[in-house]
Amino acid sequence: MVVTSKRTTTKSSVSANQRDESSLSLVHVEQALPISVVAPIVSSYNEKIRPVLDALENLRRLNIAKEGIQLPTIVVVGDQSSGKSSVLESLAGISLPRGQGICTRVPLIMRLQNHPLSKPELLLEFNGKTVFTDEKDVSDAINIATEEIAGSAKGISNTPLTLIVKKNGVPDLTMVDLPGITRVPVHGQPDNIYDQIKDIIMEYITPEESIISNVLSATVDFTTCESIRMSQMVDKTGLRTLAVVTKADKSPEGLLEKVTADDVNIGLGYVCVRNRIGDETYEDARLEEEKLFESHSLLSKIDKTIVGIPVLAQKLVQVQAMIISKTLPEIIKKINEKLASNANELENLPANLSSVADAMTAFMHILGLSRDSLKKILLTGDFEEYPEDKHMHCTARLVEMLNLYASDLENCAESDAKKNFLMEEIKVLEEAKWIGLPNFMPRTAFLTILQRKVKGISYMPVNFVDNVWNYLESVVISILNHHSSNYYQLQVSTRRAGEKLIAKKKKCSVQHVMEAVEMEKLTDYTCNPEYLLEYNRLIAQQESFVKEVLNPETNPTHVKLEGVGDIDVVNLRNYPHVLCQAFDLKARMIAYWKIVLRRLIDSIALHLMLSINELINNDLQKEICNDLLSPSGGGIERLLEESPSISGKREKLSRSVKVLRESKETVARIMDRIGIYD
């Protein structure tokens, strides 16, 4: 009695999916038949699939995957010694490399083509060359090619090797055979051989366009197979996975239950096969396989639609047709979209400058764009070019820097009016005594204190302008680099000119600040009415302050002075004879110091804005022109040299557009031949 596997149901559902895509279907695949009816293997072949496979092979040769377009591929994976090579040998009718350890050390793209030839034609393609071989020597030829690609040791490589087999009676199939999975490196293999193999396998089986042909040995528990674990990582439902069970004759016990229970989610079904043994011919091996599944007490119970190499060939052609039907329209769409995008990007690259006139035009255009951008972000506060880059919101950043500078001035020790209140004034007055009327304020005393205070803060304005110009340098260079990015030589020249100009402007600003500081040290002058207002407000409290300090009854430790705060007055009682004069001097200094600080803030801010305006409207263009036309700049002709980045981008895009155009033409010819336009 023949027991029907559950996989028949899955197979029917897959066929139903194909019928849903009938408008795009490339082939009509007959229902699976018993082995005796299906022979020879080529009966699964349909003429319409050939031109499509040829087209896909051409796309693969064009390396269309580098453009981000994945091709439908049957990927053959399996643990080491699972019988992977034997299955491919049986499908192709040729001998592949055998031996201990990893036999397949590079991805082997096997392209089987049915041809009514009197003598098979075999050829290898790798590293840009073609090597012809024959059935007798193909194994050695593959080994030699593999050594050239992956080296003579036992390491692996991700560089593919293509084997084309043109032979009468083989199914039209394209498969990629990957290295067998091994966890333990043998002598001559790198310690991370497992990780290397896994990376290659994952690269090939991850795309949705890949069908995973998972070769499993009947002698092992399917749930423990590493290849199953990997395929489940990218195809959890198993809809892209087909299982090929080898060595059925070695372990027939429980095989029916394994393929019926499907504990590992094989959505495309199982096919059980018998490996060729010893020196059997492929014809003898097929006859022995047929006998095995017909007469074996256990294996004969397995549904005949899921056993044998002919059924596997038919199944693979069916799956291949399904995935091509599903993905070909999307491949065409992606090729067209990528071609349009890359062609547009290539067209928008700056044109190669062929004359001095072209170079001068480009040069003036770049200067104009740079000037406009700098005006927007430094003068008008227009940040539309850099909406998210706060570093380039320059007016806001400059205000923040100015506010911080002002705050530092107002909160420094020299601006603390309460600190050692009147003590410095008393000491200065003691040393400034002279023979004369007692109620005159010695001007030298005021200037002495003023000069000390100005000297104490003199580094702050210098640091401020230094920081501002460092910030402006980063902004200016960024703008120049952005607008000259397409012209390497101009970018070098503008950057150099920008750095030189900023250094000059910084030096000028530092000099201006130092002059302002020296002016404040030199003399005391202001016509600002706020000076007298503040002075009068403070001097009005002089009498009451002195009286309270010297009051013998209360002897206060602190006295509150409006506009200054609580003053420590313990030491002041020791200088009653000079207290009034010291208070007067302090009141003048407090009032005048506010004027000094305001001048150091306002004048520097105005100077910087003038300098920025001059930089944008006059200095920058002049400096860049001078640098470019100087002997070191090389002249405007240097613009005719394209930048390495643009040259590389142009070359890459040109190569991509060429590949995509060839791909489009290849697919278009095939679409015309097979007539599957919607």
Side-chain angles (χ1 to χ4, degrees):
M1 176 179 175
V2 177
V3 179
T4 303
S5 167
K6 286 185 186 177
R7 303 315 309 169
T8 306
T9 305
T10 305
K11 182 179 179 66
S12 299
S13 67
V14 172
S15 299
N17 289 338
Q18 281 185 259
R19 289 195 294 273
D20 291 340
E21 298 164 353
S22 59
S23 62
L24 299 175
S25 181
L26 302 177
V27 297
H28 172 71
V29 182
E30 58 194 289
Q31 289 295 318
L33 298 174
I35 297 173
S36 58
V37 182
V38 177
I41 292 177
V42 74
S43 64
S44 303
Y45 165 76
N46 185 295
E47 290 182 359
K48 283 189 177 182
I49 201 69
R50 169 72 61 76
V52 179
L53 293 179
D54 289 340
L56 292 178
E57 188 61 28
N58 287 337
L59 293 179
R60 192 172 277 110
R61 285 195 188 99
L62 289 169
N63 210 357
I64 195 73
K66 276 193 173 180
E67 306 300 327
I69 299 172
Q70 299 295 336
L71 297 177
T73 306
I74 296 176
V75 183
V76 183
V77 299
D79 292 1
Q80 187 176 306
S81 303
S82 62
K84 202 159 45 70
S85 296
S86 296
V87 171
L88 297 175
E89 285 180 340
S90 298
L91 289 169
I94 60 171
S95 296
L96 297 175
R98 297 288 192 96
Q100 295 297 317
I102 300 174
C103 301
T104 305
R105 297 198 289 125
V106 299
L108 177 64
I109 301 173
M110 183 177 286
R111 176 80 167 88
L112 306 182
Q113 299 178 350
N114 180 56
H115 279 275
L117 302 171
S118 58
K119 184 180 179 181
E121 291 183 4
L122 286 76
L123 58 99
L124 293 169
E125 294 179 345
F126 61 99
N127 290 347
K129 57 185 179 181
T130 301
V131 176
F132 289 89
T133 184
D134 54 31
E135 289 184 290
K136 178 184 175 183
D137 299 321
V138 63
S139 180
D140 291 337
I142 291 174
N143 282 332
I144 292 171
T146 298
E147 287 189 5
E148 184 171 328
I149 295 171
S152 58
K154 296 183 180 180
I156 64 171
S157 170
N158 200 11
T159 302
L161 167 65
T162 298
L163 170 63
I164 300 175
V165 179
K166 298 179 181 179
K167 186 177 180 181
N168 189 23
V170 297
D172 264 63
L173 280 172
T174 298
M175 300 170 289
V176 181
D177 181 26
L178 298 180
I181 303 166
T182 179
R183 279 194 172 275
V184 182
V186 298
H187 182 68
Q189 289 179 341
D191 292 338
N192 66 338
I193 187 69
Y194 169 78
D195 294 327
Q196 290 186 30
I197 294 173
K198 179 183 176 183
D199 289 344
I200 293 175
I201 290 175
M202 296 305 288
E203 178 182 330
Y204 274 87
I205 68 175
T206 298
E208 290 293 323
E209 295 80 4
S210 296
I211 293 295
I212 307 167
S213 178
N214 214 318
V215 179
L216 310 169
S217 173
T219 61
V220 301
D221 181 357
F222 296 167
T223 60
T224 64
C225 290
E226 191 69 19
S227 61
I228 286 290
R229 192 180 71 83
M230 288 186 186
S231 62
Q232 287 179 337
M233 290 171 66
V234 297
D235 183 31
K236 290 182 172 58
T237 59
L239 294 178
R240 297 192 286 118
T241 304
L242 168 70
V244 181
V245 183
T246 63
K247 305 180 183 179
D249 54 326
K250 302 292 184 183
S251 185
E253 295 80 7
L255 183 56
L256 172 62
E257 289 73 18
K258 283 184 180 180
V259 299
T260 304
D262 185 23
D263 294 329
V264 288
N265 275 354
I266 304 297
L268 295 176
Y270 291 82
V271 178
C272 302
V273 299
R274 171 190 176 274
N275 296 51
R276 185 169 66 99
I277 299 174
D279 295 329
E280 285 180 343
T281 65
Y282 292 103
E283 292 76 13
D284 290 343
R286 286 191 58 207
L287 290 173
E288 291 298 324
E289 180 183 59
E290 184 176 352
K291 288 180 187 177
L292 177 70
F293 287 109
E294 286 286 355
S295 59
H296 192 281
S297 59
L298 295 176
L299 299 179
S300 61
K301 296 179 181 180
I302 301 176
D303 192 326
K304 297 302 180 287
T305 62
I306 63 168
V307 297
I309 290 294
V311 170
L312 175 61
Q314 179 189 15
K315 184 79 171 178
L316 289 172
V317 171
Q318 177 189 16
V319 167
Q320 182 175 247
M322 176 192 70
I323 190 65
I324 291 174
S325 298
K326 180 179 178 182
T327 60
L328 191 55
E330 185 64 23
I331 289 173
I332 296 169
K333 179 184 175 185
K334 287 180 179 178
I335 289 175
N336 289 333
E337 289 176 349
K338 188 77 173 179
L339 176 58
S341 172
N342 285 5
N344 182 63
E345 189 174 356
L346 180 62
E347 187 177 340
N348 288 333
L349 284 179
N352 275 324
L353 304 179
S354 56
S355 68
V356 173
D358 289 342
M360 182 58 74
T361 301
F363 176 60
M364 298 307 296
H365 180 64
I366 289 167
L367 284 184
L369 290 176
S370 300
R371 184 171 58 248
D372 290 345
S373 293
L374 289 171
K375 279 183 178 179
K376 286 180 181 178
I377 63 175
L378 284 171
L379 300 181
T380 64
D382 184 348
F383 312 132
E384 62 178 358
E385 293 181 31
Y386 303 93
E388 302 301 325
D389 188 355
K390 291 189 176 182
H391 182 75
M392 303 300 281
H393 298 182
C394 300
T395 53
R397 302 293 80 79
L398 288 173
V399 169
E400 289 174 356
M401 296 172 78
L402 184 63
N403 288 342
L404 180 61
Y405 163 61
S407 176
D408 288 343
L409 284 177
E410 291 166 359
N411 293 294
C412 66
E414 287 76 11
S415 299
D416 186 358
K418 292 195 302 179
K419 184 180 179 182
N420 295 324
F421 189 74
L422 299 187
M423 293 306 298
E424 184 179 14
E425 286 75 11
I426 291 171
K427 290 178 182 178
V428 170
L429 287 170
E430 286 290 313
E431 296 304 317
K433 292 184 290 189
W434 63 312
I435 299 173
L437 295 175
N439 61 341
F440 279 87
M441 175 67 65
R443 185 162 181 265
T444 55
F446 184 86
L447 288 177
T448 298
I449 296 174
L450 176 63
Q451 288 167 1
R452 288 179 185 173
K453 293 170 74 69
V454 172
K455 184 178 179 181
I457 64 160
S458 60
Y459 70 93
M460 292 186 181
V462 175
N463 287 350
F464 169 61
V465 296
D466 194 62
N467 291 335
V468 168
W469 282 112
N470 287 342
Y471 168 69
L472 291 174
E473 180 177 17
S474 69
V475 170
V476 170
I477 297 302
S478 177
I479 293 291
L480 292 175
N481 283 343
H482 172 68
H483 288 298
S484 62
S485 59
N486 294 332
Y487 303 97
Y488 174 70
Q489 298 301 336
L490 178 60
Q491 190 175 62
V492 172
S493 185
T494 55
R495 182 183 185 92
R496 184 167 56 239
E499 289 171 349
K500 284 182 182 177
L501 179 59
I502 294 296
K504 290 178 184 177
K505 302 296 284 186
K506 182 193 291 188
K507 183 177 180 181
C508 179
S509 291
V510 169
Q511 186 175 352
H512 171 85
V513 167
M514 292 178 70
E515 286 178 354
V517 170
E518 287 303 313
M519 285 189 290
E520 296 298 344
K521 287 182 182 178
L522 183 63
T523 189
D524 50 338
Y525 172 77
T526 183
C527 62
N528 191 328
E530 290 187 12
Y531 166 72
L532 286 177
L533 289 174
E534 179 69 9
Y535 170 73
N536 290 333
R537 184 178 65 80
L538 290 170
I539 203 68
Q541 304 177 64
Q542 180 189 42
E543 184 179 351
S544 59
F545 176 81
V546 172
K547 184 181 294 186
E548 191 169 352
V549 169
L550 299 177
N551 188 337
E553 295 180 358
T554 58
N555 286 329
T557 58
H558 289 79
V559 174
K560 186 172 183 179
L561 185 64
E562 187 180 342
V564 178
D566 287 334
I567 307 299
D568 183 353
V569 297
V570 174
N571 293 326
L572 297 183
R573 284 192 286 273
N574 298 325
Y575 306 96
H577 59 287
V578 74
L579 203 53
C580 287
Q581 194 175 25
F583 188 94
D584 188 348
L585 180 57
K586 187 70 171 180
R588 294 172 190 272
M589 183 56 66
I590 290 174
Y592 187 66
W593 187 246
K594 291 181 179 180
I595 304 298
V596 170
L597 295 186
R598 192 166 302 167
R599 275 202 297 248
L600 289 176
I601 296 169
D602 293 350
S603 65
I604 293 174
L606 292 173
H607 164 78
L608 287 172
M609 290 310 299
L610 175 63
S611 299
I612 292 171
N613 269 276
E614 290 175 343
L615 180 144
I616 295 171
N617 294 317
N618 301 308
D619 299 341
L620 186 60
Q621 182 172 330
K622 187 185 300 182
E623 190 72 33
I624 292 173
C625 288
N626 289 340
D627 187 272
L628 188 64
L629 298 176
S630 69
S632 62
I636 198 73
E637 293 82 1
R638 294 294 296 276
L639 285 181
L640 301 179
E641 302 173 21
E642 192 166 48
S643 74
S645 61
I646 293 298
S647 177
K649 191 173 185 180
R650 190 188 305 279
E651 183 180 348
K652 181 180 178 182
L653 285 172
S654 297
R655 189 167 54 245
S656 173
V657 167
K658 181 184 177 184
V659 167
L660 290 166
R661 280 178 178 155
E662 290 182 25
S663 302
K664 183 178 180 180
E665 291 169 5
T666 297
V667 174
R669 286 194 298 269
I670 297 309
M671 297 290 279
D672 288 339
R673 285 182 62 184
I674 63 178
I676 63 165
Y677 282 116
D678 289 336

